[in-house]
């Protein structure tokens, strides 16, 4: 094995290790640090997904969001939400970019907007159709009543993301790690 293969393997292992750590953090910040609301709960786990998506390549970040979120739903008694969570959290990671040496960039801060929209619309449509047993406009409308809880979830997640992002950017985390 030559030096470039060794460096490539080392980078892959580092990325997998960081992805594993982020997956565990998504699980903890979702399953253990949450407030029950209506049919689900509000949590700060999305902030960890935002962070991972700003640090790791997109496929790794998508896995972090999907696996961490699904584990939280499944192991917290909310397994019915797993299909929606896997899709919504994986797509959320796609809004962010790891291409800069900084975590907090204009693009990544703006990515919070489509993340909020996806969270509100995705979970509300899932609750109003799949959980209602079919398309029910009444159920969909009722599901959108959870919108304030989703807004709080994204606001708390954003605060976590920005606070940790500032700290990691100050120590040039991305440059040192990757």
């Amino acid at each position: 094995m030559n030096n470039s293969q060794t460096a490539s393997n080392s980078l892959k292992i580092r990325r997998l290790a960081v992805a594993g750590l982020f997956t565990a953090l998504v699980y903890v910040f979702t399953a253990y640090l949450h407030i029950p609301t209506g049919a689900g709960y509000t949590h700060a786990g999305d902030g960890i997904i935002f962070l991972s998506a700003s640090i790791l390549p997109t496929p790794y970040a998508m896995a972090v969001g999907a696996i961490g979120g699904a584990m939280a739903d499944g192991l917290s008694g909310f397994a019915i939400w797993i299909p929606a969570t896997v899709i919504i959290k994986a797509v959320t990671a796609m809004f962010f970019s790891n291409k800069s040496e900084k975590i907090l960039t204009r693009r990544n801060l703006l990515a919070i907007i489509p993340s909020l929209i996806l969270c509100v619309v995705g979970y509300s449509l899932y609750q109003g159709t799949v959980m209602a047993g079919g398309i029910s406009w009444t159920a969909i409308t009722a599901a959108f009543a959870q919108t304030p809880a989703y807004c709080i979830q994204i606001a708390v997640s954003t605060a976590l993301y920005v606070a940790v992002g500032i700290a990691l950017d100050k120590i040039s985390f991305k440059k040192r790690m990757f």
Side-chain angles (χ1 to χ4, degrees), residues 33-46 81 89 115-117 119-121 123-124 127 142-158:
L33 303 173
H34 70 258
I35 300 167
T37 57
Y41 51 81
T42 297
H43 59 83
D46 288 356
W81 291 97
K89 300 311 178 191
S115 297
L116 170 63
I117 294 167
C119 182
V120 170
V121 173
Y123 281 117
S124 296
Q127 182 180 351
F144 274 96
Q146 292 290 319
T147 297
Y150 295 132
C151 290
I152 291 168
Q153 176 172 310
I154 298 300
V156 170
S157 291
T158 298

Coordinates of all heavy atoms in Angstrom, one line a residue, residues 33-46 81 89 115-117 119-121 123-124 127 142-158:
L33 N -33.1 14.5 25.0 CA -33.3 16.0 25.2 C -34.4 16.5 24.4 O -34.3 17.3 23.5 CB -32.0 16.7 24.9 CG -30.7 16.2 25.6 CD1 -29.5 16.9 25.1 CD2 -30.9 16.5 27.1
H34 N -35.6 16.0 24.7 CA -36.8 16.4 24.0 C -38.0 16.7 24.9 O -38.0 16.3 26.0 CB -37.2 15.3 22.9 CG -37.8 14.0 23.5 ND1 -37.0 12.9 23.7 CD2 -39.0 13.8 24.0 CE1 -37.8 12.0 24.2 NE2 -39.0 12.5 24.5
I35 N -38.9 17.4 24.3 CA -40.2 17.8 25.0 C -41.3 17.2 24.2 O -41.5 17.5 23.0 CB -40.3 19.3 25.0 CG1 -39.1 19.9 25.8 CG2 -41.7 19.7 25.7 CD1 -39.0 21.4 25.7
P36 N -42.2 16.3 24.8 CA -43.3 15.8 24.0 C -44.3 16.9 23.6 O -44.6 17.8 24.3 CB -44.0 14.9 25.1 CG -42.9 14.6 26.1 CD -42.1 15.8 26.1
T37 N -44.7 16.7 22.3 CA -45.7 17.7 21.7 C -46.6 16.9 20.8 O -46.2 16.3 19.9 CB -45.0 18.8 20.9 OG1 -44.2 18.1 19.9 CG2 -44.1 19.7 21.7
G38 N -47.9 16.9 21.1 CA -48.9 16.3 20.3 C -48.6 14.9 20.0 O -48.4 14.0 20.8
A39 N -48.4 14.6 18.7 CA -48.1 13.2 18.2 C -46.6 12.8 18.3 O -46.3 11.7 18.1 CB -48.6 13.0 16.8
G40 N -45.8 13.7 18.6 CA -44.3 13.5 18.6 C -43.6 14.2 19.7 O -44.1 14.4 20.8
Y41 N -42.4 14.8 19.4 CA -41.7 15.6 20.3 C -40.8 16.6 19.6 O -40.5 16.5 18.5 CB -40.9 14.7 21.2 CG -40.0 13.6 20.5 CD1 -38.7 14.0 20.0 CD2 -40.4 12.3 20.4 CE1 -37.9 13.1 19.4 CE2 -39.6 11.4 19.8 CZ -38.4 11.8 19.3 OH -37.6 10.9 18.6
T42 N -40.4 17.6 20.4 CA -39.5 18.7 19.9 C -38.2 18.5 20.5 O -38.1 18.2 21.7 CB -40.1 20.1 20.3 OG1 -41.4 20.2 19.7 CG2 -39.2 21.2 19.9
H43 N -37.1 18.6 19.7 CA -35.8 18.2 20.2 C -34.7 19.1 19.5 O -35.1 19.9 18.6 CB -35.5 16.8 19.9 CG -35.6 16.5 18.4 ND1 -34.6 16.7 17.5 CD2 -36.6 16.0 17.7 CE1 -35.0 16.4 16.3 NE2 -36.2 15.9 16.4
A44 N -33.5 19.0 19.9 CA -32.4 19.7 19.3 C -31.5 18.9 18.4 O -30.4 19.3 18.0 CB -31.5 20.4 20.5
G45 N -31.9 17.7 18.1 CA -31.1 16.8 17.3 C -30.8 17.3 15.9 O -29.8 17.0 15.3
D46 N -31.7 18.1 15.4 CA -31.5 18.7 14.1 C -30.2 19.6 14.0 O -29.6 19.6 13.0 CB -32.7 19.5 13.6 CG -33.9 18.6 13.2 OD1 -33.8 17.4 13.3 OD2 -35.0 19.2 12.9
W81 N -42.8 6.9 13.3 CA -42.3 8.1 12.6 C -41.0 7.7 11.8 O -40.5 8.6 11.0 CB -41.9 9.2 13.6 CG -43.1 9.8 14.2 CD1 -43.7 9.5 15.4 CD2 -44.0 10.8 13.6 NE1 -44.8 10.3 15.6 CE2 -45.0 11.1 14.5 CE3 -43.9 11.5 12.4 CZ2 -46.0 12.1 14.3 CZ3 -44.9 12.5 12.2 CH2 -45.9 12.7 13.1
K89 N -34.7 13.6 7.4 CA -33.4 14.0 8.0 C -32.3 13.8 6.9 O -31.3 14.5 6.9 CB -33.1 13.2 9.3 CG -34.1 13.4 10.4 CD -34.4 14.9 10.6 CE -35.4 15.1 11.7 NZ -35.9 16.5 11.8
S115 N -34.7 23.7 5.6 CA -34.8 22.6 6.6 C -36.1 22.8 7.5 O -36.8 21.8 7.8 CB -33.6 22.7 7.6 OG -32.4 22.4 6.9
L116 N -36.4 24.0 7.8 CA -37.6 24.3 8.5 C -38.9 23.9 7.7 O -39.8 23.2 8.2 CB -37.7 25.8 9.0 CG -39.1 26.2 9.5 CD1 -39.4 25.5 10.8 CD2 -39.1 27.7 9.7
I117 N -38.9 24.3 6.5 CA -40.0 24.0 5.6 C -40.2 22.5 5.4 O -41.3 22.0 5.5 CB -39.8 24.7 4.2 CG1 -39.9 26.3 4.4 CG2 -40.9 24.3 3.2 CD1 -39.4 27.1 3.2
C119 N -39.2 20.1 7.4 CA -39.6 19.6 8.7 C -41.1 19.8 8.9 O -41.9 18.8 9.1 CB -38.8 20.2 9.8 SG -39.2 19.6 11.5
V120 N -41.6 21.0 8.7 CA -43.0 21.3 8.9 C -43.9 20.5 7.9 O -44.8 19.8 8.2 CB -43.3 22.8 8.8 CG1 -44.8 23.1 8.7 CG2 -42.7 23.5 9.9
V121 N -43.6 20.7 6.6 CA -44.4 20.1 5.6 C -44.3 18.5 5.6 O -45.3 17.8 5.5 CB -44.0 20.6 4.2 CG1 -44.7 19.9 3.0 CG2 -44.3 22.1 4.1
Y123 N -43.3 16.3 8.0 CA -43.9 15.6 9.1 C -45.4 15.8 9.1 O -46.2 14.9 9.5 CB -43.3 16.0 10.4 CG -42.0 15.3 10.7 CD1 -40.8 16.0 10.7 CD2 -41.9 13.9 10.8 CE1 -39.6 15.4 11.0 CE2 -40.7 13.3 11.1 CZ -39.5 14.0 11.1 OH -38.3 13.4 11.4
S124 N -45.9 17.0 8.7 CA -47.3 17.2 8.8 C -48.0 16.4 7.7 O -49.1 15.8 8.0 CB -47.6 18.7 8.5 OG -47.1 19.5 9.6
Q127 N -48.0 12.8 9.0 CA -49.0 12.6 10.0 C -50.4 12.6 9.5 O -51.3 11.8 9.8 CB -48.8 13.6 11.1 CG -49.8 13.5 12.3 CD -49.6 14.6 13.3 OE1 -48.7 15.3 13.3 NE2 -50.5 14.6 14.3
A142 N -55.1 19.3 10.6 CA -54.9 19.2 12.0 C -53.4 19.0 12.3 O -52.8 19.5 13.2 CB -55.7 18.0 12.6
A143 N -52.7 18.2 11.4 CA -51.3 17.9 11.6 C -50.5 19.2 11.5 O -49.5 19.4 12.2 CB -50.8 16.9 10.5
F144 N -50.9 20.1 10.6 CA -50.2 21.4 10.5 C -50.3 22.3 11.7 O -49.6 23.2 11.9 CB -50.6 22.2 9.2 CG -49.9 21.8 8.0 CD1 -50.4 20.8 7.1 CD2 -48.6 22.3 7.7 CE1 -49.7 20.4 6.0 CE2 -47.9 21.9 6.6 CZ -48.4 21.0 5.7
A145 N -51.1 21.9 12.7 CA -51.2 22.6 14.0 C -49.9 22.4 14.8 O -49.7 23.1 15.7 CB -52.4 22.1 14.8
Q146 N -49.1 21.4 14.4 CA -47.8 21.1 15.1 C -46.8 22.1 14.6 O -45.6 22.1 15.1 CB -47.4 19.7 14.8 CG -48.2 18.6 15.4 CD -48.0 18.6 16.9 OE1 -46.9 18.7 17.4 NE2 -49.1 18.4 17.6
T147 N -47.1 23.0 13.7 CA -46.1 23.9 13.1 C -45.3 24.7 14.2 O -44.1 24.8 14.1 CB -46.8 24.8 12.1 OG1 -47.2 24.0 11.0 CG2 -45.8 25.9 11.5
P148 N -46.0 25.3 15.2 CA -45.2 26.0 16.2 C -44.1 25.1 16.9 O -43.0 25.6 17.1 CB -46.3 26.5 17.2 CG -47.5 26.6 16.4 CD -47.4 25.4 15.4
A149 N -44.5 23.9 17.1 CA -43.5 23.0 17.8 C -42.3 22.7 16.9 O -41.2 22.7 17.3 CB -44.2 21.7 18.2
Y150 N -42.6 22.6 15.6 CA -41.5 22.4 14.6 C -40.6 23.6 14.5 O -39.4 23.5 14.4 CB -42.0 22.0 13.2 CG -42.7 20.6 13.2 CD1 -43.9 20.5 12.6 CD2 -42.1 19.5 13.8 CE1 -44.6 19.2 12.6 CE2 -42.8 18.3 13.8 CZ -44.0 18.1 13.2 OH -44.6 16.9 13.1
C151 N -41.2 24.8 14.6 CA -40.5 26.0 14.5 C -39.6 26.2 15.7 O -38.4 26.6 15.6 CB -41.4 27.2 14.4 SG -42.3 27.4 12.8
I152 N -40.1 25.8 16.9 CA -39.3 25.8 18.1 C -38.1 24.8 18.0 O -37.0 25.1 18.3 CB -40.1 25.5 19.4 CG1 -41.1 26.6 19.6 CG2 -39.3 25.2 20.6 CD1 -42.2 26.3 20.6
Q153 N -38.4 23.7 17.4 CA -37.4 22.6 17.2 C -36.2 23.2 16.4 O -35.1 23.0 16.7 CB -38.0 21.4 16.6 CG -37.0 20.3 16.3 CD -37.7 19.0 15.8 OE1 -38.7 18.6 16.4 NE2 -37.3 18.5 14.7
I154 N -36.6 23.8 15.3 CA -35.5 24.3 14.4 C -34.8 25.5 15.0 O -33.6 25.7 14.9 CB -36.2 24.7 13.0 CG1 -36.7 23.4 12.3 CG2 -35.1 25.4 12.1 CD1 -35.7 22.3 12.0
A155 N -35.5 26.3 15.8 CA -34.9 27.5 16.4 C -33.9 27.0 17.5 O -32.8 27.5 17.5 CB -36.0 28.4 17.1
V156 N -34.3 26.0 18.3 CA -33.3 25.5 19.3 C -32.2 24.8 18.6 O -31.0 24.9 19.0 CB -34.1 24.5 20.3 CG1 -33.1 23.8 21.2 CG2 -35.1 25.3 21.1
S157 N -32.5 24.0 17.6 CA -31.4 23.4 16.8 C -30.5 24.4 16.2 O -29.2 24.2 16.1 CB -32.0 22.5 15.7 OG -32.7 21.4 16.3
T158 N -31.0 25.5 15.7 CA -30.2 26.5 15.1 C -29.3 27.1 16.1 O -28.1 27.4 15.8 CB -31.1 27.6 14.4 OG1 -31.8 27.0 13.4 CG2 -30.2 28.7 13.8

